[in-house]
Amino acid sequence: TIYSYGSSLHDLLMSSGAQVRSYAVGGTTSLQWADNDYSVPKNFFDKLNMYIIDETGKKSSTLEKQGLAPLKEEFKPDIIIISLGTNIIGQTGQARILRIEKANQLAKMAQQDAKCYWIGPPKTTDEKLRPLLDQTIQEIKDAVSPLFCTFIDSNTLTDETKLDDKIHYNKEGGQDWAQKVFDELKKEGLNLNSPSTTATITGSSTNLFSRLQKCNNIVIGVIGASNTKEPSYVKYLRLLCPDSTF
């Protein structure tokens, strides 16, 4: 939120009459926000601030970082908008699997007593990250939607010619991205007409931050040959609904 995308989206939401708080911590993934724990990687977050924009638009920062759960308990939002994903792209092996699973947990946490929207990672021209962008977007999307959050794909909303350093967007690029995200949010049913509506944005400073009520006995069949690969979303349903049949 300390970059133009986050502050611009905050302003757009406020201009619609919502009470908005925005939170951001650089370098974070779903791991920190879901676990309320900034000890991993070791010492990485020790001197990094959490950046905050409050309901009046005032900006502040603190070393006392929090995850989604305590922030949600304090603000009790009706709407939660999460923008996360770029810092997952470069992860590999078990570290990547863990962060995708934490995205699932974070989305599940967000949608409890609130409407959740998840904004995926934007275009990047970084040579190491770009080949993995589409895969990461799909993995996050499968983990968070449609059960918990409405997913919005930033890859189609961002202009890579407006990047500052192959990953972070310049002021104009961030503003354009925020406007397009805001337009997509409205298309997806975001309603800020009620004066009591509140919204919380969580995420990293790189990018910024429907419900399954009961598992019951969900049955999912995979159509095709016996060696058909199981859809990735089934893995997350197994985690969520261990007593169900798949």
Side-chain angles (χ1 to χ4, degrees):
T1 32
I2 59 173
Y3 293 150
S4 61
Y5 163 71
S7 57
S8 296
L9 185 56
H10 184 103
D11 291 344
L12 287 166
L13 292 166
M14 281 189 63
S15 69
S16 298
Q19 299 179 57
V20 188
R21 287 188 189 178
S22 299
Y23 304 92
V25 180
T28 53
T29 68
S30 48
L31 179 65
Q32 289 76 34
W33 294 99
D35 287 355
N36 190 30
D37 183 359
Y38 290 82
S39 63
V40 178
K42 186 177 181 180
N43 300 328
F44 181 84
F45 293 105
D46 290 357
K47 296 183 179 180
L48 294 182
N49 284 324
M50 168 172 276
Y51 294 90
I52 304 165
I53 309 177
D54 70 12
E55 301 93 315
T56 68
K58 180 182 177 181
K59 297 181 180 181
S60 61
S61 62
T62 176
L63 284 171
E64 298 298 319
K65 296 173 282 292
Q66 300 182 72
L68 178 60
L71 296 174
K72 187 178 176 182
E73 177 62 26
E74 176 188 356
F75 194 45
K76 294 179 172 57
D78 300 308
I79 299 166
I80 294 178
I81 302 171
I82 301 173
S83 292
L84 280 174
T86 297
N87 294 322
I88 295 177
I89 300 174
Q91 300 285 339
T92 60
Q94 289 300 312
R96 182 184 183 88
I97 292 172
L98 175 61
R99 281 155 181 78
I100 295 296
E101 291 176 350
K102 290 299 178 180
N104 175 266
Q105 294 176 22
L106 183 63
K108 184 178 181 181
M109 183 189 308
Q111 62 82 45
Q112 294 172 353
D113 301 316
K115 171 63 180 175
C116 172
Y117 297 90
W118 192 296
I119 317 302
K123 284 188 178 74
T124 176
T125 56
D126 183 272
E127 293 80 2
K128 293 182 179 180
L129 301 183
R130 189 170 188 172
L132 297 171
L133 178 61
D134 289 343
Q135 174 189 339
T136 305
I137 290 172
Q138 190 60 53
E139 289 178 355
I140 295 172
K141 183 177 181 180
D142 288 345
V144 308
S145 70
L147 296 178
F148 302 126
C149 301
T150 298
F151 185 83
I152 293 177
D153 187 356
S154 289
N155 194 28
T156 63
L157 306 178
T158 44
D159 182 356
E160 59 192 8
T161 66
K162 296 178 180 179
L163 282 161
D164 255 346
D165 58 3
K166 299 185 179 182
I167 298 175
H168 304 94
Y169 281 80
N170 60 29
K171 183 177 181 180
E172 182 184 0
Q175 291 171 340
D176 290 349
W177 178 18
Q179 182 63 61
K180 290 178 180 177
V181 165
F182 184 65
D183 293 342
E184 287 298 312
L185 287 168
K186 290 190 292 184
K187 289 179 185 178
E188 292 292 344
L190 179 68
N191 183 3
L192 298 174
N193 292 328
S194 170
S196 62
T197 299
T198 57
T200 299
I201 305 168
T202 65
S204 73
S205 57
T206 300
N207 298 324
L208 208 136
F209 243 92
S210 305
R211 305 180 190 182
L212 179 66
Q213 300 294 344
K214 294 181 180 179
C215 289
N216 292 328
N217 189 38
I218 301 174
V219 180
I220 297 178
V222 180
I223 301 173
S226 59
N227 62 349
T228 300
K229 184 179 179 181
E230 181 179 82
S232 56
Y233 63 80
V234 173
K235 176 177 64 175
Y236 300 107
L237 285 174
R238 291 188 192 281
L239 292 172
L240 297 170
C241 309
D243 297 325
S244 295
T245 302
F246 298 87

